[in-house]
Amino acid sequence: MTTTRPLAALFSALLCALLAAIAPAAAQTHRDKGCSTPPCSIIPGVAPIYAYNSGGIGQYALSVATATNLTPPTGATIAQICIETAPVRYRDDGVAPTASVGIPLAAGWCGPYAGPLSAIQFIAQSGSPTIDVSYYYSN
């Protein structure tokens, strides 16, 4: 006779009881953006707080045939950038990229950027790429 099954059942029951006894984590409260002193709308912690929220209208199908700056909305600190149809290069040091100088990004690449949004510039590496950009601010 083996005791494996009764021990496994006991362990499983104890684990379930432990998990049931753990209280769910409380969500954080949050204050409306831009409000630092009362009266402010304070929203009780009933929903998860996201790392970043929409920063306003994005830029879509933006042509980058020549060195092109982004136009971020006021307060935006993060951009989600997607490269369409052909590769591009970018620089964010205030100097315009060229088709052969800058950080290359392949067509189809999408990713976040949290550097100086007003300084970043894109240019086509080849072909006729466009970029799509959504803007966000961090909580």
Side-chain angles (χ1 to χ4, degrees):
M1 179 174 270
T2 178
T3 59
T4 305
R5 285 197 164 176
L7 287 177
L10 177 62
F11 177 73
S12 179
L14 288 172
L15 182 59
C16 287
L18 177 63
L19 291 175
I22 297 174
Q28 297 174 341
T29 58
H30 129 153
R31 184 182 315 262
D32 282 343
K33 180 181 178 216
C35 184
S36 58
T37 58
C40 302
S41 295
I42 297 180
I43 300 165
V46 295
I49 301 298
Y50 298 99
Y52 50 95
N53 294 299
S54 178
I57 296 174
Q59 294 177 271
Y60 304 99
L62 180 64
S63 173
V64 291
T66 61
T68 303
N69 288 80
L70 297 180
T71 309
T74 302
T77 57
I78 301 166
Q80 176 72 17
I81 302 167
C82 292
I83 311 303
E84 301 277 354
T85 67
V88 301
R89 289 188 182 265
Y90 80 90
R91 289 184 67 159
D92 63 359
D93 58 1
V95 177
T98 67
S100 59
V101 177
I103 306 298
L105 297 174
W109 179 87
C110 285
Y113 176 81
L117 295 178
S118 60
I120 192 170
Q121 296 181 61
F122 294 86
I123 194 167
Q125 188 173 359
S126 65
S128 299
T130 60
I131 62 174
D132 300 319
V133 186
S134 292
Y135 294 102
Y136 302 90
Y137 66 90
S138 57
N139 277 340

